[in-house]
Amino acid sequence: MHTIVIAGGGAGGLELATRLGDSLGRNGRARIILIDRSPTHFWKPLLHTVASGKRDPLMHEVAYSAQAAEHGFQFVCGEVLSVDRTRRTVSIGPFRSDDGQEILPARSLRYDKLVLAFGAVTNFFNISGAAEHAMTLDSVWQAELFRKRFLANCMHASSRRLAGASEGTIVNIVIVGGGATGVELAAELSHTVRTLAKYNVHTLDPDHDVRVSIVERGELLLPHLNPRLSRRAARYLRSLGVEVCTSTTVARVDADAVLDTNGTRHAADITLWAAGVEGPAVCTTLGLPMNRIRQIIVNAALQTPDDDSVYAIGDCSNYICPVKGAAVPPRAQVAHQQAMYLAEVLAKQPGTRSPDFQYRDYGSLVSLGPFAAVGSLLGAAPGREMLVGGVTARVLYALMYQKHVMALHGFIRMAAQTVVHWLRSKVSPSVKLH
Ligand SMILES: Cc1cc2nc3c(=O)[nH]c(=O)nc-3n(C[C@H](O)[C@H](O)[C@H](O)COP(=O)(O)OP(=O)(O)OC[C@H]3O[C@@H](n4cnc5c(N)ncnc54)[C@H](O)[C@@H]3O)c2cc1C
């Protein structure tokens, strides 16, 4: 049977597997196989809420096996290590338990069509000490690690203060990168600190004893947004007590500080690196053309130019939008549109001509904590941009996730889940306390 293998079950890959499973897999027209190194899916744009303790990942993850059973595709758990394009096989490493025991052996899978949807990883731009000392937000595991370290630092500083110590009583968090990830995390953290104080998890003064700073190389935060919105976001963050250091380039990261090129030392108990992404290392094993940040180059059909049986979507791909003359950004919106496009193209009979992929930019929204967001909406009128902020933008931002849930489970289940999460938020603390 014709076999379509999708490598990576993130924002793009899981939506694609679900659609193709429904259209081809269920009725036996093709075998759809999704491979992911994790047994569960979590929507990446929400990782900052896991890092701040606002969201319990267990309540929002999707078990790939359950999704596969419901939507007519097959799920294979394991890390894709390499692809042999001559023999059309994908090599998958063994799947191990947390204590290192091998649960599933190394395997290889044959494909007729392969869709690469590996996402991206943090790019440290070879800054000295960054990879060794900075934390990242590439996975649920890393977000949870950040949350636990943040909590431990607050509790430790609080106990030293109670013991009358003069040093180690302030918590310094430095976020490198003033894009959406850095801004969203900084805003959430300032709310988390206050909530933790309310529950006496620490006795620090949220306004003075926990210092969150953003270090950004450019003149403005959120460079992809209208400058008015960038300034508005910076003002809002400052009102929450976040220190915003723009036009500041990081030269080195130490275990306890970030040093900038002006020689200023930013004390850091935790450094979080959110300054850019690159394709994962596995992209280099494919022998396919890549750009300088290891993203696989694709044409207007999202196929790799050297091998029309291999496609790439989402953050691991490099597609130049002919209208803008620039690469589409690494965003969930792009991964979603590319998944929907391929779901239609791959469901057609072989040999049927398909239109080119066309990216439509609907704008961008950035959360500023539980009560605000900023963003711009495009597409209402050609060439016009509508700037939004405050609660309206926050509601629109929340709808982005609902749209993803709806793509996976349909409207009724999305609505039911939303009600369950809302009820849960009424009976439990608004952040994780332990
Ligand atoms: C904190 C944060 C906030 C964000 N906010 C927004 C936002 O507000 N709006 C927006 O549009 N975008 C946002 N993004 C970006 C968005 O998350 C990504 O653009 C989107 O998730 C890309 O989708 P993808 O399918 O390409 O990859 P991902 O969603 O990253 O999925 C990749 C999948 O591949 C799997 N994988 C990777 N390597 C392998 C391997 N070798 N073998 C097997 N499986 C593998 C991973 O486990 C993962 O499941 C944000 C990102 C972050 C980190």
Side-chain angles (χ1 to χ4, degrees), residues 7-14 35-38 40-49 64 78-81 117-121 137-139 180-182 184-185 277 280 282 313-317 329-336 338 363-367 397 400:
L14 184 56
I35 310 169
D36 202 287
R37 59 182 168 203
S38 162
T40 57
H41 160 81
F42 182 86
W43 199 54
K44 207 174 173 186
L46 296 181
L47 280 182
H48 63 284
T49 61
Y64 287 116
E79 178 156 9
V80 173
L81 300 177
F118 293 125
V121 293
L137 273 194
D138 285 340
S139 65
T181 304
E184 290 180 338
L185 179 63
V277 295
V282 64
I313 60 170
D315 288 4
C316 73
S317 68
R331 294 224 198 107
Q333 186 187 169
V334 174
H336 165 77
Q338 293 183 329
S364 183
L365 290 160
V366 177
S367 161
Y397 175 86
M400 288 191 328

Side-chain angles (χ1 to χ4, degrees), residues 127-200:
I127 298 292
S128 168
E132 292 82 0
H133 302 300
M135 301 188 77
T136 55
L137 273 194
D138 285 340
S139 65
V140 171
W141 183 81
Q142 289 167 351
E144 275 284 37
L145 191 64
F146 177 92
R147 183 185 71 77
K148 287 178 188 161
R149 248 184 229 181
F150 177 67
L151 198 61
N153 271 272
C154 290
M155 290 165 74
H156 184 64
S158 172
S159 79
R160 286 183 63 81
R161 181 161 291 244
L162 288 174
S166 55
E167 282 186 9
T169 58
I170 303 276
V171 180
N172 292 294
I173 311 293
V174 176
I175 298 170
V176 181
T181 304
V183 166
E184 290 180 338
L185 179 63
E188 288 290 350
L189 285 180
S190 75
H191 286 277
T192 296
V193 172
R194 285 170 175 76
T195 311
L196 294 176
K198 202 174 93 187
Y199 285 97
N200 292 321

